[in-house]
Amino acid sequence: MREVWITLSTPLIQHPKQVDIGSKLKSTPIPMASCTPLSHSLHFFPSNNQLYSFSNNGYSPPTRKFSYSTPLNVVMDTASFPLFQPPTQIHETPPQMELADPDFYKIGFVRSFRAYGVEFREGPDGFGVFASKDVEPLRRARMIMEIPLELMLTISKKLPWMFFPDIVPLGHPIFDIINSTNPETDWDLRLACLLLYAFDHEDNFWQLYGDFLPSADECTSLLLATEEDLRELQDQSLELLMREQQRRALEFWEKNWHSAAPLKIKRLARDRERFMWAVGIAQTRCINMQIRIGALLAQDANMLVPYGDMLNHSFQPNCFFHWRFKDRMLEVMINPGQRIKRGEEMTVNYMSGHQNNMLMQRYGFSSPVNPWDVISFSGDSRIHLDSFLSVFNISGLPTEYYHNSEIAVDGDTFVDGAVIAAARTLPTWSDKDVPPIPSEERKAAKELQQQCHEILSEYPTTSKQDEQILGSIPDARRTLEAAVRYRLHRKLFIEKVSDALEIYQDKILF
């Protein structure tokens, strides 16, 4: 079946953007940290109902809709609409962000990479992409970057698998190692092998670009976390999952980088830390999307995209990825109808519809305003959905809730992604009948609020204590800092839901 390109003139609502890329998963407020390290995943792939998925060390937000003229390979994503409209604000370039080294541009420009109206800056948390001039809204998306396929590292997701560029010589053992993996479940291991080989391949672009990737000490991927770091998550399920992920990668390294392995393989990853770092980079900076090469060949691919992986994540991104098949270019496009001020960060959405534990697993970042987070409530208490939405001026369907700020009180900044998530996660009822008397509704809200307090009491530390811990360990390992932030964001989310229930009790509209 042939996909069609659908043009949307403007977003459902307009709002500022923010946010988590790949392992940086990095995140953004409702964040794309998203974000975050390229782990904030920038992640755009069909499984997320987006045209793409990409990982990147950073932070940030949910999917976006866009328009474009080429009538090919476009998947419409209903989650692309903004989820809510926060107070008007401009995300200006943080003062600690310094312009990237000129060599960062040079190594790409001599190989046909192009950027228009943006500048790359580097700070304590890695790279980010910022507007170098004001951008007025247009009805059509506009391009700010074009990245040729020749600069990327790509491996198809299904058999018969293919990789690009074709830099592996016939008979090289790395080919057999990659071929021994499962294309669909071991994509990160496969991409890590190709990345390590590219670093070792003479005159390869990635030998130069690798100097600008986060080091093992700078990467927030939990694959690099210690036992202590994982315990600090205060999430046993995520802790066990990451231990399994670490074991899987380590066993793969031990199997193929054993003492009898040829030197041409050994030198790619002489120690397990080097291989774990490569897998972490693959996870946090990978973009998953369908590419088309030639008239008929279309394939779902896992891709490491230089320069594009520097975009951080946001739940309200202002950019998206598009594949231009005629000359095999990946384009970074500004959303149609998007107004951007000079100095504002350019962001994408790594993963739409995923909770913080998934963002943390893939990218190493989280957000206290993730609109897709949930709380597991028990019991029979339920509140009236339509009434709750009306109190907070929330409109739309569950997959595209947004804050109707036009009817909100001036200065009302309470509604954010956490409240949007509450509208989805709270046990509710809505049969269009006359709701129960206010006293019964307040009782149900009070019971749900009490459950929030009980969940918080089960944690060994409070949000205030977590904030103090973060302030007292400025030079802590990045994985430890990410773990503490993750549990802090979880508690802040639950507290926000509790506060929303408190407000609802006072403002029930019936």
Side-chain angles (χ1 to χ4, degrees):
M1 175 180 288
R2 190 175 168 188
E3 296 174 341
V4 297
W5 196 240
I6 297 176
T7 298
L8 301 174
S9 59
T10 51
L12 194 61
I13 56 174
Q14 296 179 355
H15 53 73
K17 318 287 183 183
Q18 173 295 297
V19 155
D20 356 115
I21 251 189
S23 298
K24 320 163 183 201
L25 231 104
K26 326 45 202 32
S27 104
T28 294
I30 211 173
M32 97 256 305
S34 27
C35 253
T36 10
L38 249 164
S39 66
H40 290 280
S41 112
L42 186 183
H43 178 120
F44 303 83
F45 41 152
S47 62
N48 289 333
N49 296 322
Q50 299 177 325
L51 177 60
Y52 44 77
S53 90
F54 109 87
S55 39
N56 164 53
N57 272 322
Y59 301 74
S60 319
T63 14
R64 67 213 79 21
K65 290 193 176 179
F66 52 86
S67 66
Y68 191 72
S69 58
T70 305
L72 292 169
N73 295 335
V74 177
V75 179
M76 180 174 172
D77 176 12
T78 57
S80 332
F81 289 110
L83 292 181
F84 72 97
Q85 181 175 356
T88 301
Q89 55 181 330
I90 300 299
H91 299 281
E92 297 181 347
T93 306
Q96 70 273 24
M97 300 290 284
E98 300 291 339
L99 282 171
D101 188 306
D103 286 343
F104 178 72
Y105 298 90
K106 182 178 179 181
I107 61 175
F109 269 71
V110 299
R111 295 169 174 83
S112 299
F113 161 75
R114 294 294 181 266
Y116 310 97
V118 297
E119 56 190 16
F120 294 83
R121 290 180 173 270
E122 185 177 12
D125 295 324
F127 278 85
V129 184
F130 298 86
S132 59
K133 61 181 181 181
D134 292 345
V135 177
E136 296 301 319
L138 292 180
R139 294 183 61 186
R140 296 175 60 182
R142 72 181 74 188
M143 179 176 61
I144 57 173
M145 280 190 230
E146 50 184 356
I147 307 155
L149 177 64
E150 287 70 22
L151 292 188
M152 308 175 199
L153 296 177
T154 72
I155 292 186
S156 60
K157 298 174 66 174
K158 296 181 179 180
L159 293 173
W161 70 270
M162 302 172 61
F163 61 87
F164 193 91
D166 189 6
I167 56 177
V168 182
L170 187 65
H172 195 285
I174 197 67
F175 182 91
D176 295 328
I177 292 176
I178 295 175
N179 199 38
S180 69
T181 61
N182 184 312
E184 296 189 35
T185 60
D186 297 332
W187 63 269
D188 51 347
L189 303 179
R190 295 154 59 82
L191 205 52
C193 289
L194 190 58
L195 176 63
L196 290 170
Y197 181 80
F199 287 149
D200 188 64
H201 186 66
E202 185 176 0
D203 297 327
N204 187 272
F205 165 79
W206 285 85
Q207 289 182 325
L208 303 174
Y209 191 75
D211 293 339
F212 300 97
L213 294 176
S215 66
D217 292 336
E218 297 169 333
C219 186
T220 59
S221 172
L222 291 184
L223 286 173
L224 305 176
T226 64
E227 293 282 325
E228 176 188 355
D229 296 344
L230 294 179
R231 286 194 295 269
E232 293 300 327
L233 290 167
Q234 295 182 1
D235 184 332
Q236 188 175 24
S237 297
L238 180 57
E239 178 183 344
L240 293 175
L241 178 60
M242 291 315 305
R243 292 187 195 280
E244 174 60 24
Q245 290 288 318
Q246 290 177 336
R247 183 196 61 77
R248 164 178 164 267
L250 180 57
E251 288 182 354
F252 182 83
W253 177 81
E254 292 174 341
K255 174 183 176 182
N256 297 288
W257 272 263
H258 49 77
S259 58
L263 178 60
K264 62 177 65 176
I265 288 297
K266 282 186 176 180
R267 70 189 185 201
L268 301 183
R270 294 185 179 275
D271 54 63
R272 65 181 185 180
E273 287 76 18
R274 173 70 171 175
F275 183 74
M276 297 293 277
W277 171 83
V279 178
I281 289 295
Q283 286 194 359
T284 58
R285 308 187 84 88
C286 174
I287 297 173
N288 305 318
M289 66 181 297
Q290 185 178 78
I291 63 175
R292 181 176 172 186
I293 302 175
L296 300 175
L297 180 58
Q299 53 182 205
D300 294 326
N302 304 115
M303 313 163 65
L304 288 179
V305 182
Y307 299 101
D309 63 2
M310 297 301 176
L311 288 156
N312 285 320
H313 162 79
S314 174
F315 294 110
Q316 294 179 288
N318 47 26
C319 297
F320 63 91
F321 291 109
H322 171 259
W323 178 253
R324 194 170 77 204
F325 85 96
K326 62 181 180 180
D327 53 358
R328 304 190 305 183
M329 287 276 189
L330 183 71
E331 299 175 323
V332 179
M333 312 291 293
I334 296 178
N335 291 335
Q338 185 76 53
R339 182 187 301 276
I340 298 176
K341 297 296 184 181
R342 178 181 179 181
E344 185 176 349
E345 185 170 12
M346 317 301 287
T347 59
V348 291
N349 186 2
Y350 291 178
M351 296 177 112
S352 176
H354 286 275
Q355 303 172 33
N356 274 345
N357 57 356
M358 184 60 190
L359 293 177
M360 198 68 191
Q361 173 192 339
R362 175 72 182 271
Y363 305 111
F365 76 88
S366 59
S367 169
V369 292
N370 184 341
W372 305 102
D373 240 352
V374 300
I375 299 175
S376 297
F377 290 97
S378 59
D380 300 325
S381 299
R382 295 185 301 164
I383 59 174
H384 192 257
L385 176 60
D386 294 339
S387 178
F388 183 83
L389 297 179
S390 297
V391 163
F392 296 102
N393 300 314
I394 298 174
S395 305
L397 301 175
T399 56
E400 51 188 41
Y401 277 144
Y402 66 95
H403 179 215
N404 193 339
S405 61
E406 293 185 1
I407 62 174
V409 178
D410 291 341
D412 180 11
T413 60
F414 182 80
V415 179
D416 58 17
V419 181
I420 298 292
R424 291 193 177 95
T425 194
L426 286 169
T428 59
W429 69 277
S430 181
D431 58 7
K432 305 304 179 182
D433 291 335
V434 177
I437 59 177
S439 60
E440 291 297 320
E441 189 74 359
R442 291 191 182 92
K443 179 181 177 183
K446 192 69 174 178
E447 290 174 350
L448 293 175
Q449 187 180 26
Q450 180 59 34
Q451 287 194 45
C452 289
H453 296 161
E454 292 172 356
I455 294 173
L456 290 171
S457 66
E458 294 176 357
Y459 285 100
T461 59
T462 66
S463 60
K464 296 294 184 182
Q465 291 172 329
D466 290 342
E467 290 173 346
Q468 293 173 356
I469 291 173
L470 286 174
S472 64
I473 52 172
D475 299 323
R477 295 182 303 277
R478 295 302 302 277
T479 49
L480 173 59
E481 180 182 354
V484 176
R485 288 190 183 280
Y486 169 76
R487 76 194 198 200
L488 169 62
H489 290 166
R490 178 63 178 173
K491 295 164 191 172
L492 292 177
F493 166 63
I494 298 173
E495 290 173 359
K496 191 63 174 283
V497 173
S498 177
D499 292 343
L501 288 167
E502 182 70 31
I503 294 174
Y504 177 58
Q505 294 174 52
D506 295 335
K507 297 184 178 181
I508 292 176
L509 300 182
F510 55 82

